[in-house]
Amino acid sequence: MLLKTSLRSFFAHKGRMALSLIAVVLSVAFVSGTLVFSNTATSTFDKLFAATASDVSVQPPKSAEDEDPELADKPATVPAALAGQVAAVPGIKTAVGQVMVHNATLVNPATNKLVGPTSGAPTLVGNWTDTPRNPVTITSGHVPRGAGELVLDADTAKKAKLGLGDKLRVDNAGGKHEFTIAGIATFTTTNPGAALAFLDTATSQQVLLGEPAFTSIEAFGDGSRSDDGLKADALAKLGGGYQVKTAAEQKDENNKSVGSGLDFMKYAMLGFAGVSLIVGGFLIINTFSMLVAQRTREIGLLRALGGSRRQVNRSVLVEALILGVLGSTLGIAAGLGIAVGLIALMNAIGMDLRASDLQIGPDVFVAGYAVGILITVVAAWIPARRASRISPMAALRDHGTPAEARANVVRTVLGLVLTAGGGGLLVLAAKAEKAATGGQYLGLGVLLTLIGFVVLGPLLATAVIRVLGALLPALFGPSGKLAQRNAMRNPRRTGATAAALMIGLALVIASSVFSSSAVTSASEQIDRSVGVDYIISGGRTAVTAEMLDAVRRTPGVDHVTAEKDFDAKVQLPDGRTERTGLAAVPPTFFGTDFRLPVASGTVDSIGRGALGIGEKFAKDHNLKVGDSVTVTYLKGRTQVLQVGVVFAKSSLYGGASFVDVATMAEAVPAAEVPEPRTFFAKASSGADTGRTLTALEDALKEYPQLSVKDQAGYKELVQSQVNTLLYLIYGLVALSITVAVLGVVNTLALSVVERTREIGLLRAIGLSRRQLRRMIRLESVVIALFGAVLGTGLGLAWGVTVQGVLRDQGLGTLSVPTATIAITLVSSVLIGLVAALVPAFRAGRMNVLAAIATD
């Protein structure tokens, strides 16, 4: 009987459930689509690594200095003779020496344009080897047969419009090396998006390594031993030091590397799902609350006929369960479409994932149904509990029940406590000395203030809407007055409807405050600290001496400053060792090129052999001017230095440590000094900086891997980097606002149904259709403005706190984007108008007599 009643009620109100269904579908679609995409990508790469990994790979010893092999000038190597030793291990059939580096750049000399990916996936250059599991096969031309020949992968060749016989240049720290494309190789499995170029072994050793060595030895067994057995024998034969990895270990390592890139997209998509779930929850609560209110007499009759509170509660929850199951099923189907779209996106940036290989595992269905059903049932529990409290006597009254004064008191107290607690945590976060501590306070403060505003929403609705709608009666007459009163009539409903919009707009404002503060702070730091006129960066590729010479010879350039960056270790006076980024700089760096604020000590001390450190590093490790520390450079080169200056936290290089180039040269041989990846140029006195920039760009045309920026261009680069994160957040916000608009539409649509008789009476006493539609539109606008006002206040509080937490990490200046706030408030009016279109149209079409006769 209970199930039959619930089914009948659900299908009787299926139109009213439609928009709530959309919210569930969106939430589940993002969850299931993300899982399907992630599973498909992981499975594809699993196949690639399984098909190409050697049984045993012997790699150079892992040292602390080699944590970022992609940025090393000279990759770590193993001796060439090691290949013979590995081949002699029992059970090894073939052992091949491999050269593969990440730090070379491919350039088309005919156009001076980069060949291959410019970000994300790497450019790999190595030696051509014939192995049982080669990832590519020659499909045209032939393997490299001499010092001037090169094989390029087919995907890269197609994108760069290169073919057999064309020239291709390989640039690295050793200079420029030109080759002729002798062969095109096609991937046998999946192209992970990388560009691959192959030379013959002798040439690759000379050009890429500068010595007759290999980056690894790849060994393949004869099937008589397990991979673990081969690894144990190889370690026993080779002795300690070398890394020996089985196929399974190589696969795990590669999956972690790929996974770190895919995880960003995965978590971003799950963020979409999370926002949709939260906002959709408010929509579902509102829908069931209104349906319960409209069915007060029906529920009262059920109670009068003997239905228990538990049965009434169950009947509402069963309806929610039906909605959740249906929404989850449709959401999982829609998720497949999202997964296909993500695959198409990855293919557009160079990957080769196939939609026909979609991996739809049990986890997709478990997560999809769990999310959809759980959020729906939990959201419906509050209205269901309210429905179970309806007494049998309610059947004898008109729709609706009296407001519960006690509930309002509890709501007020709870809301104020949560909001005050959250506000206090935000204040503590802004004043915290450590960003990590501030971040913890911030997260909890955001959560509490959000919940507090949601709880207080219905109580604020009456007061705020009375102010927001004060002009409506004067401007729009009876329609305006009725709209204002309708919005205040049910504060709980208005608060829940506005809450969904409030969340989205709060994120917009908070994100805008963060991004505006980040850009303004960076610009001010550049203006305050940077004396050089041009910043030249090589990205992944080291800057060579000829590049520096090309800049020095450019007319209008006074001098060039190159910093050499080390990943160094500092042994503190108490014996502990800490890692730090260490920059070796020439005397012109301080004063002429950069003006860094000093907390203690003098900058001149660096030129006299002292060490400069950041204020945060000094504070964290109890260091002060005059303390002596031991600095360890690459390859274990050490040097005892005295701290001569502590730079203030607000400095552009706040976290870096500095040493003079001459001081560093006393401990590190010239052959071990890394090439710079970024250098700076100062224009001559009186030179036209714009013309000099053009001359610099012309001088460096043949080095497309270099990025040349003046101070204005560098500021734009900083802004574009901030905007990348901002656009992702705006994507999340757009989704939440979309669901929030559905909530406003649903609220108004159900409100129109609920007020059918009232609308009929208004029409009967002279309210025109135009005035009726205007009334509903104005009601929608007031609700949207209410949500926008709450969201703006909440977003400003969050954004200001974020700036306070990150004040020592580069966000030293607070900037409130007034234009964005104004646009947000205007947009909320438009949102209200759009959301009211369908409900207003339906209300206007009502038959007056039929509406009055409605029970």
Side-chain angles (χ1 to χ4, degrees):
M1 177 64 74
L2 177 65
L3 180 60
K4 182 183 286 187
T5 303
S6 299
L7 285 171
R8 184 171 294 169
S9 177
F10 179 85
F11 288 109
H13 304 105
K14 56 183 179 294
R16 306 179 195 180
M17 296 283 195
L19 294 177
S20 295
L21 183 68
I22 292 174
V24 178
V25 169
L26 283 173
S27 305
V28 175
F30 280 110
V31 171
S32 59
T34 301
L35 291 176
V36 170
F37 166 75
S38 178
N39 291 347
T40 302
T42 302
S43 172
T44 301
F45 281 103
D46 279 346
K47 293 175 185 175
L48 169 67
F49 300 143
T52 58
S54 58
D55 294 327
V56 172
S57 177
V58 181
Q59 301 170 8
K62 187 172 182 62
S63 60
E65 295 82 26
D66 295 329
E67 289 197 349
D68 195 351
E70 293 190 21
L71 298 182
D73 293 332
K74 295 180 180 179
T77 60
V78 297
L82 200 67
Q85 293 177 258
V86 174
V89 173
I92 296 292
K93 182 179 181 180
T94 307
V96 178
Q98 184 176 73
V99 175
M100 190 62 69
V101 301
H102 302 74
N103 60 355
T105 303
L106 302 179
V107 179
N108 184 345
T111 60
N112 280 326
K113 290 184 178 180
L114 290 177
V115 174
T118 55
S119 62
T123 294
L124 305 175
V125 185
N127 65 325
W128 179 267
T129 56
D130 288 316
T131 70
R133 299 172 197 157
N134 204 324
V136 293
T137 181
I138 300 290
T139 49
S140 63
H142 56 79
V143 301
R145 295 172 180 165
E149 293 186 341
L150 172 146
V151 169
L152 185 65
D153 78 90
D155 293 335
T156 303
K158 183 178 179 181
K159 289 176 187 173
K161 298 180 180 178
L162 293 171
L164 297 178
D166 289 333
K167 300 294 183 181
L168 188 63
R169 205 174 76 218
V170 177
D171 289 4
N172 64 357
K176 298 184 292 186
H177 315 275
E178 193 165 292
F179 299 91
T180 300
I181 298 176
I184 301 294
T186 302
F187 278 83
T188 55
T189 52
T190 296
N191 178 0
L196 265 66
F198 301 94
L199 316 175
D200 68 64
T201 297
T203 305
S204 66
Q205 290 175 323
Q206 178 186 350
V207 169
L208 304 176
L209 304 180
E211 58 179 329
F214 297 110
T215 54
S216 68
I217 308 296
E218 305 301 327
F220 302 86
D222 58 13
S224 62
R225 304 288 306 282
S226 68
D227 290 354
D228 289 329
L230 293 175
K231 174 182 177 177
D233 290 348
L235 285 171
K237 186 173 184 66
L238 302 177
Y242 295 109
Q243 298 181 79
V244 180
K245 297 177 181 178
T246 63
E249 290 170 336
Q250 295 174 63
K251 178 182 167 185
D252 289 342
E253 186 177 51
N254 288 328
N255 276 335
K256 285 180 184 176
S257 176
V258 172
S260 62
L262 293 175
D263 280 350
F264 177 78
M265 179 172 288
K266 177 180 178 180
Y267 293 131
M269 295 302 296
L270 290 176
F272 278 81
V275 170
S276 181
L277 284 172
I278 294 171
V279 180
F282 287 110
L283 198 161
I284 294 165
I285 289 172
N286 235 14
T287 300
F288 278 93
S289 294
M290 296 183 74
L291 289 175
V292 166
Q294 291 171 20
R295 289 159 50 195
T296 299
R297 180 171 293 181
E298 176 189 327
I299 293 171
L301 286 170
L302 281 174
R303 296 279 283 114
L305 291 172
S308 66
R309 290 181 59 178
R310 181 177 296 178
Q311 285 177 312
V312 171
N313 197 346
R314 278 189 200 164
S315 69
V316 178
L317 291 179
V318 167
E319 289 182 50
L321 181 62
I322 296 168
L323 180 70
V325 171
L326 183 58
S328 299
T329 304
L330 295 175
I332 290 171
L336 298 182
I338 290 177
V340 171
L342 289 174
I343 287 172
L345 176 64
M346 299 305 287
N347 288 344
I349 61 175
M351 276 194 187
D352 182 22
L353 301 177
R354 296 179 177 87
S356 58
D357 293 336
L358 286 181
Q359 298 295 311
I360 310 170
D363 60 328
V364 175
F365 293 96
V366 170
Y369 280 108
V371 165
I373 293 172
L374 190 64
I375 188 65
T376 309
V377 173
V378 168
W381 179 78
I382 297 172
R385 186 166 167 268
R386 196 177 301 145
S388 68
R389 291 180 174 179
I390 295 175
S391 68
M393 293 303 294
L396 305 178
R397 293 199 301 264
D398 200 359
H399 293 293
T401 54
E404 298 178 32
R406 186 183 170 205
N408 285 338
V409 171
V410 172
R411 177 183 287 270
T412 302
V413 172
L414 180 62
L416 288 174
V417 169
L418 288 171
T419 305
L425 286 169
L426 292 180
V427 172
L428 289 175
K431 293 183 177 181
E433 292 190 6
K434 292 186 178 181
T437 304
Q440 293 173 348
Y441 287 144
L442 172 65
L444 190 54
V446 165
L447 181 63
L448 290 182
T449 50
L450 176 60
I451 297 173
F453 265 57
V454 170
V455 173
L456 286 175
L459 303 172
L460 295 172
T462 302
V464 176
I465 289 176
R466 182 174 282 113
V467 174
L468 292 175
L471 293 177
L472 293 184
L475 294 175
F476 300 101
S479 297
K481 191 166 188 176
L482 287 169
Q484 183 189 29
R485 289 187 175 182
N486 285 336
M488 294 189 299
R489 177 188 295 181
N490 193 327
R492 181 179 289 172
R493 179 192 306 166
T494 299
T497 304
L501 195 59
M502 175 188 74
I503 294 172
L505 297 181
L507 286 172
V508 169
I509 300 299
S511 304
S512 299
V513 171
F514 164 76
S515 64
S516 181
S517 299
V519 171
T520 302
S521 299
S523 296
E524 288 185 359
Q525 283 190 353
I526 291 170
D527 292 336
R528 184 171 58 245
S529 303
V530 179
V532 294
D533 297 293
Y534 312 104
I535 299 100
I536 302 128
S537 173
R540 288 176 174 170
T541 308
V543 173
T544 62
E546 57 184 345
M547 293 175 185
L548 290 168
D549 289 340
V551 175
R552 289 191 183 101
R553 293 194 304 267
T554 302
V557 171
D558 179 71
H559 69 267
V560 175
T561 300
E563 66 176 66
K564 310 293 180 76
D565 295 318
F566 293 85
D567 186 16
K569 290 184 290 186
V570 176
Q571 186 174 4
L572 306 172
D574 61 5
R576 291 182 297 120
T577 299
E578 295 291 337
R579 303 188 73 88
T580 182
L582 179 64
V585 296
T588 57
F589 187 88
F590 296 106
T592 304
D593 295 334
F594 289 90
R595 303 176 293 273
L596 304 186
V598 173
S600 60
T602 59
V603 174
D604 295 343
S605 63
I606 294 178
R608 298 193 297 271
L611 177 71
I613 59 176
E615 188 175 9
K616 184 177 184 302
F617 188 84
K619 189 172 183 179
D620 289 347
H621 306 298
N622 297 316
L623 289 174
K624 61 184 183 299
V625 172
D627 288 344
S628 293
V629 297
T630 300
V631 176
T632 303
Y633 301 92
L634 299 174
K635 301 188 183 299
R637 308 290 182 179
T638 63
Q639 191 175 42
V640 177
L641 299 175
Q642 193 175 67
V643 177
V645 59
V646 176
F647 293 103
K649 288 180 181 178
S650 59
S651 115
L652 190 66
Y653 277 83
S657 299
F658 293 93
V659 69
D660 192 79
V661 167
T663 303
M664 176 271 298
E666 295 174 3
V668 183
E672 296 177 11
V673 177
E675 297 295 338
R677 295 184 183 276
T678 301
F679 63 104
F680 314 97
K682 178 78 174 174
S684 304
S685 178
D688 186 314
T689 55
R691 288 184 179 178
T692 305
L693 175 63
T694 303
L696 267 175
E697 291 171 340
D698 291 338
L700 297 174
K701 267 185 179 178
E702 59 180 311
Y703 306 107
Q705 63 268 48
L706 294 180
S707 167
V708 185
K709 302 285 183 185
D710 59 5
Q711 287 194 19
Y714 191 67
K715 289 178 184 177
E716 290 176 2
L717 178 64
V718 170
Q719 185 165 1
S720 68
Q721 292 171 341
V722 172
N723 286 344
T724 300
L725 174 62
L726 192 63
Y727 293 149
L728 173 63
I729 295 172
Y730 281 173
L732 290 170
V733 169
L735 175 69
S736 72
I737 291 175
T738 299
V739 179
V741 169
L742 294 178
V744 178
V745 173
N746 213 23
T747 298
L748 292 173
L750 291 172
S751 177
V752 166
V753 174
E754 185 181 72
R755 302 192 324 239
T756 299
R757 181 188 290 179
E758 175 189 319
I759 289 170
L761 289 171
L762 287 172
R763 292 277 286 115
I765 62 174
L767 193 71
S768 68
R769 287 185 177 181
R770 184 178 181 183
Q771 288 175 313
L772 176 62
R773 288 195 291 264
R774 181 184 294 164
M775 177 191 77
I776 293 172
R777 286 197 297 268
L778 291 175
E779 181 182 348
S780 177
V781 167
V782 169
I783 292 173
L785 268 175
F786 173 55
V789 168
L790 294 186
T792 299
L794 205 54
L796 282 173
W798 294 350
V800 170
T801 306
V802 168
Q803 185 273 329
V805 171
L806 299 177
R807 63 188 179 278
D808 294 332
Q809 274 67 45
L811 259 71
T813 304
L814 174 65
S815 176
V816 178
T818 53
T820 302
I821 294 173
I823 291 171
T824 300
L825 293 174
V826 172
S827 298
S828 66
V829 174
L830 296 176
I831 287 169
L833 290 173
V834 170
L837 287 177
V838 175
F841 177 74
R842 291 185 61 186
R845 292 184 61 191
M846 280 187 185
N847 181 282
V848 176
L849 294 178
I852 294 173
T854 299
D855 184 11

